[in-house]
Amino acid sequence: MARTTGSDGEKTEAAIREAAVNLIARFGYEAMSMRQLAAEVGVQAAALYRYFPTKEDLLFTLMREHMQGLSQAWEAAKPVNASPAQRLSAYVENHIAFHIERRHATHVSNMELRSLSPERLTQILRMRTAYEKELRAILRDGAEADVFSIDDTGLTAMALIQMMTGVIVWFRPGERLSIAEVTATYLSMTMRLVGAASATAPRVFLDAQRTL
Amino acid sequence: MARTTGSDGEKTEAAIREAAVNLIARFGYEAMSMRQLAAEVGVQAAALYRYFPTKEDLLFTLMREHMQGLSQAWEAAKPVNASPAQRLSAYVENHIAFHIERRHATHVSNMELRSLSPERLTQILRMRTAYEKELRAILRDGAEADVFSIDDTGLTAMALIQMMTGVIVWFRPGERLSIAEVTATYLSMTMRLVGAASATAPRVFLDAQRTL
DNA sequence: GAATTAATTGAACGTTCGTTTTAATATCGT
DNA sequence: ACGATATTAAAACGAACGTTCAATTAATTC
């Protein structure tokens, strides 16, 4: 046999990407074989090489487009002429929404970095650093304006990102909490963590109420 | 050839464990071959099978003992008859110290869970859940005693653990910050995040000072 | 409807994998 | 000194790996 009826290059490539993200997220890049991926797509292994010259090219493509998507999502959500607290809120909301929506792709981008060649690893890390730099800038602005109280900007940024990205480890859609509830809780935790005035004030206010 | 001069089973096993942790942390479990591990130890691949019947047995042993070590460290550090804030401080300090000290083993235990058989995965996850339960209990006690203000105990526990464990991703000994500095910063971030009175009070105090 | 292009198959390549087997040598108890 | 045992080497196993190639058929173009 050869070409199958109804076969379409674009559809096949999209199917390969989707299946690859799911399989790599579930089993890991090294553990996923090209034959397993082909079976998931419903195609022979050799057909994969029409779209991706090597297995690593496939991984790199998935990662690069995921990082580009994250950057673009933030550029679209990023508020202009806003206070540090508003910008931080937007960053947290965008980050959590994006990562929950693309849990599997995030898993791949975070866990399989070591399977990239040095040059490609550098390229992905550069994109990640640029994205994290945005958060550090927000924290720095807030600290300089005295609306945040932060010990160490770089360390706080890393802690926040680890905390937020961590939702993909345990969050499952349709369980106890909705995305909105999770986001709201993480937002208030973030604001308290950076010592934002809008977060500590209500707490003091509530304490005062409670002691009355 | 066969047995080499100076060969000693206990030393060889210890060398295998150490080399395995380092190689798996660096390249991943699937990517590390038994021949590569044997070369690192300075032994033939077949010799490994005297100590670990399969590759997965080796992984499982490393993980199980890491989790046991974490539980034991906490049992030793756990304060008795202490306030929720003190207990939380002890938990954070122990967690960070343990994870920085055993970065590679933590990496293995966190990243290679999917390479375990279902039964063994369950076993490791059970140990992890038991450890995390300790944190949830502290948060609950603090919330009930009104010394913490927490929206969701389970969610806050997950956020804190992700945040704290995240240090192993970027922390390198001997760089900008010492372990003590990192721990102190994470401690203050934790206290603010849970709305501990001892953390918010100084901040309000500092604000008052600054506006004078 | 013939010629060309696009898409896929099926078989095969050499390599590496985890693991097993057999044999040889060092160490230890007696 | 010697037999028992622990420890390793060396070679080999079948299976699976990523990848290549020629053949074949569907879709498109002229």
Side-chain angles (χ1 to χ4, degrees):
Chain A
M1 268 195 259
R3 180 166 189 173
T4 54
T5 61
S7 63
D8 178 335
E10 285 192 23
K11 286 182 189 170
T12 304
E13 178 169 348
I16 292 173
R17 287 169 191 253
E18 191 188 331
V21 166
N22 291 333
L23 288 178
I24 296 175
R26 181 133 41 113
F27 302 110
Y29 170 76
E30 296 279 353
M32 178 200 74
S33 74
M34 296 300 268
R35 286 172 178 82
Q36 184 185 10
L37 172 59
E40 189 81 7
V41 177
V43 108
Q44 289 296 318
L48 302 175
Y49 290 83
R50 192 166 185 77
Y51 304 96
F52 302 97
T54 69
K55 191 184 180 187
E56 198 206 311
D57 277 287
L58 169 57
L59 176 65
F60 178 65
T61 300
L62 297 177
M63 286 189 174
R64 191 191 52 217
E65 298 188 351
H66 179 254
M67 293 308 299
Q68 285 173 346
L70 179 58
S71 293
Q72 286 167 9
W74 168 237
E75 288 302 322
K78 187 177 179 176
V80 288
N81 294 335
S83 69
Q86 288 172 322
R87 287 158 62 203
L88 181 57
S89 291
Y91 194 94
V92 171
E93 285 167 0
N94 180 70
H95 188 94
I96 292 181
F98 187 88
H99 281 77
I100 284 186
E101 194 175 349
R102 299 164 87 153
R103 277 175 46 218
H104 290 167
T106 304
H107 231 89
V108 173
S109 288
N110 288 347
M111 306 261 292
E112 308 295 349
L113 287 168
R114 57 189 166 201
S115 296
L116 292 176
S117 69
E119 308 79 37
R120 287 172 159 175
L121 173 62
T122 302
Q123 201 170 331
I124 298 292
L125 288 182
R126 219 195 304 275
M127 298 173 78
R128 193 162 90 170
T129 303
Y131 172 72
E132 293 170 355
K133 197 175 171 184
E134 296 276 313
L135 176 57
R136 277 199 293 275
I138 295 171
L139 296 181
R140 193 182 343 101
D141 290 350
E144 287 177 1
D146 269 337
V147 295
F148 298 161
S149 69
I150 293 174
D151 290 348
D152 185 307
T153 303
L155 204 146
T156 302
M158 294 310 294
L160 282 178
I161 287 180
Q162 303 282 357
M163 181 183 90
M164 293 187 293
T165 306
V167 296
I168 66 169
V169 174
W170 54 264
F171 184 83
R172 295 292 177 280
E175 281 193 1
R176 185 167 66 92
L177 296 168
S178 69
I179 296 183
E181 288 170 321
V182 170
T183 305
T185 303
Y186 270 76
L187 203 48
S188 83
M189 288 193 293
T190 299
M191 290 306 175
R192 279 206 293 254
L193 192 151
V194 301
S198 58
T200 52
R203 154 123 179 83
V204 170
F205 181 63
L206 285 175
D207 277 355
Q209 279 187 317
R210 193 155 37 214
T211 52
L212 288 180
Chain B
M1 267 195 262
R3 184 170 186 173
T4 56
T5 60
S7 65
D8 179 335
E10 287 193 22
K11 287 182 189 171
T12 304
E13 177 167 349
I16 292 173
R17 286 168 191 252
E18 190 188 330
V21 167
N22 291 332
L23 288 178
I24 296 175
R26 181 134 40 113
F27 303 110
Y29 170 76
E30 296 279 353
M32 178 200 75
S33 73
M34 296 299 268
R35 287 172 177 82
Q36 184 184 10
L37 172 58
E40 189 81 6
V41 177
V43 111
Q44 289 296 318
L48 303 175
Y49 289 83
R50 270 208 79 70
Y51 305 96
F52 302 97
T54 69
K55 191 184 180 186
E56 197 206 312
D57 277 288
L58 169 58
L59 176 65
F60 177 65
T61 300
L62 296 176
M63 286 187 173
R64 191 191 52 218
E65 298 190 350
H66 179 255
M67 293 307 299
Q68 285 172 345
L70 180 58
S71 293
Q72 286 166 9
W74 168 237
E75 288 302 321
K78 187 177 181 177
V80 288
N81 293 335
S83 70
Q86 287 171 321
R87 288 159 61 203
L88 181 57
S89 291
Y91 194 93
V92 170
E93 285 167 1
N94 180 69
H95 188 94
I96 292 180
F98 187 87
H99 281 77
I100 284 186
E101 194 176 349
R102 298 163 87 153
R103 278 176 45 220
H104 289 166
T106 303
H107 231 89
V108 173
S109 288
N110 288 347
M111 306 262 290
E112 308 295 350
L113 287 168
R114 57 190 165 201
S115 295
L116 291 177
S117 69
E119 307 80 36
R120 287 173 159 176
L121 173 63
T122 302
Q123 200 170 331
I124 298 293
L125 289 182
R126 220 195 304 275
M127 298 174 77
R128 193 162 89 170
T129 302
Y131 173 72
E132 293 170 355
K133 197 175 172 185
E134 296 277 312
L135 176 56
R136 278 199 293 275
I138 295 171
L139 296 180
R140 194 183 340 102
D141 291 350
E144 287 176 0
D146 270 336
V147 294
F148 298 161
S149 70
I150 293 174
D151 291 348
D152 185 305
T153 302
L155 204 145
T156 302
M158 294 310 293
L160 282 179
I161 286 180
Q162 303 283 355
M163 181 183 90
M164 292 187 294
T165 306
V167 297
I168 66 169
V169 174
W170 55 264
F171 184 83
R172 296 293 177 279
E175 280 192 359
R176 186 166 65 89
L177 296 168
S178 69
I179 296 182
E181 289 170 319
V182 170
T183 305
T185 303
Y186 270 76
L187 203 48
S188 82
M189 288 193 293
T190 300
M191 290 305 174
R192 278 205 294 255
L193 192 150
V194 301
S198 58
T200 53
R203 153 123 178 84
V204 170
F205 182 65
L206 285 174
D207 277 355
Q209 279 187 316
R210 194 156 36 217
T211 53
L212 289 180

